[in-house]
Amino acid sequence: MALKASVTKLATFVLPLAIFGTVISLATAQNAAPGKVVQRQDGMKAMANAAKSIDAMFKDLSPYDARAFKAAAETILAHSGLSLSALFHGSGATPGSKASPSIETDRQQFDKLAKELGTYASALSVAADRNPDTLGPETRMQTGDAMGGGPLARKVDVERDAASMPAEHAFHMMLQTCTSCHATFRVKTD
């Protein structure tokens, strides 16, 4: 009888601790994923703002400023490649995220797009260094410049071609990379 009373007292004491520990563990796990989601969303917003800044300079909606152009390109570079890929590891169906679970099933393609994004951003950063005063004709797309990727066009090899194409072309290819990634790996919402 005394043993049964001791077990009952122990269970009364241990059970609430076990439940409390489980609740804390679940809360921590739930908060960890949204933290990554917030980081991803903040990075996406930073890249979008940087791209808008570059776009405004190419469209002559704002004056060209090599430092601002480079800073925008470096912002995109910092949020792309391995940094971007790492934020999506184990993403699955995270609450509050628009990331598709297909990122994990097609990880190689996702990582390739993240890397390409960084390669184009790097080419834009170099273009800012080469063009301290103005976005000259050599930085602009010319009539007849193919965007690449069409059924009859030569396929773009990002690693080979990004540094040699006009900066405006690299910018458009970078935006195309963003669009491709979102079309493939972002959950469509109504």
Side-chain angles (χ1 to χ4, degrees), residues 49-73 124 127-128 131-136 139-140 167-168 171-172:
N49 288 333
K52 287 176 187 174
S53 175
I54 292 170
D55 187 52
M57 288 184 224
F58 274 126
K59 290 181 177 174
D60 295 323
L61 298 174
S62 67
Y64 175 69
D65 176 343
R67 279 189 248 179
F69 190 97
K70 183 173 181 72
L124 292 171
N131 298 278
D133 302 316
T134 186
L135 286 171
T139 66
R140 301 299 187 139
E168 189 175 29
F171 177 67
H172 286 285

Side-chain angles (χ1 to χ4, degrees), residues 16-17 47 49 67 92 111 130 132 142 145 148 154-155 161 163:
L17 284 177
M47 288 192 287
N49 288 333
R67 279 189 248 179
D111 291 346
R130 291 182 182 156
Q142 304 300 315
D145 280 348
R154 176 180 68 88
K155 299 294 183 206
D161 299 335

Side-chain angles (χ1 to χ4, degrees), residues 69-70 73-74 77 120-130:
F69 190 97
K70 183 173 181 72
E74 291 291 324
L77 182 59
Y120 288 124
S122 180
L124 292 171
S125 180
V126 169
D129 292 336
R130 291 182 182 156

Side-chain angles (χ1 to χ4, degrees), residues 99-113:
S100 169
S102 67
I103 291 172
E104 289 306 318
T105 58
D106 198 2
R107 172 56 64 178
Q108 187 175 7
Q109 178 64 15
F110 181 83
D111 291 346
K112 177 180 176 267
L113 290 170

Side-chain angles (χ1 to χ4, degrees), residues 84-95:
L84 182 62
S85 291
L87 287 174
F88 284 90
H89 273 289
S91 62
T94 307

